[in-house]
Amino acid sequence: MSERDIRIGDAEREHALELLGTHLGEGRLSVDEYGERSARVATAKTRGDLYGLFADLPAPRPRFTQVEPPAPAPARRAWPVEFRVGSAAVTAVAIISVVLFFLAKTPLVFLLIPAVMLLIGRMGRR
């Protein structure tokens, strides 16, 4: 994307109107030209739109802050082996709990899942 394609906001439009007022006051623009350009400033969407309105005028012209390119996304790191093993163990216990529930007909077997999670958490802290 070029610098001219960057979108502008109300603050940039207001600044451009002030600069047009300066040019009007110094006699570079007629009242009609000022009115036409002011209307175009109000509908401007990009920096290029504003640059075009000042192309035939000397300084002052709109100035914009430098836009930093977006920072590259941080590299994705793989999960640590301990996390992958622990997650696989909890998944296996959850499946075993469902099977035991249908065999034993008691919901208490589902307490195995948090118990295994606590054990894995304690082992990881050592």
Side-chain angles (χ1 to χ4, degrees), residues 5-112:
D5 295 328
I6 296 173
R7 294 185 68 98
I8 59 168
D10 291 337
E12 290 91 351
R13 287 185 200 92
E14 288 175 19
H15 180 65
L17 286 173
E18 290 172 14
L19 296 176
L20 284 176
T22 300
H23 289 294
L24 174 66
E26 293 179 359
R28 293 189 190 102
L29 295 174
S30 69
V31 174
D32 290 337
E33 288 174 313
Y34 174 79
E36 291 170 13
R37 291 183 194 215
S38 295
R40 289 178 54 196
V41 165
T43 61
K45 290 185 175 43
T46 64
R47 290 180 176 183
D49 295 338
L50 292 184
Y51 287 146
L53 295 173
F54 288 84
D56 62 338
L57 296 171
R61 293 179 175 193
R63 290 196 176 158
F64 302 101
T65 57
Q66 194 67 17
V67 176
E68 297 291 325
R76 290 186 60 180
R77 296 186 319 183
W79 291 102
V81 173
E82 299 84 20
F83 178 81
R84 287 184 277 169
V85 169
S87 144
V90 170
T91 302
V93 169
I95 293 170
I96 291 169
S97 296
V98 170
V99 171
L100 287 175
F101 172 73
F102 286 112
L103 293 176
K105 305 285 188 212
T106 178
L108 295 176
V109 295
F110 290 110
L111 292 175
L112 288 172

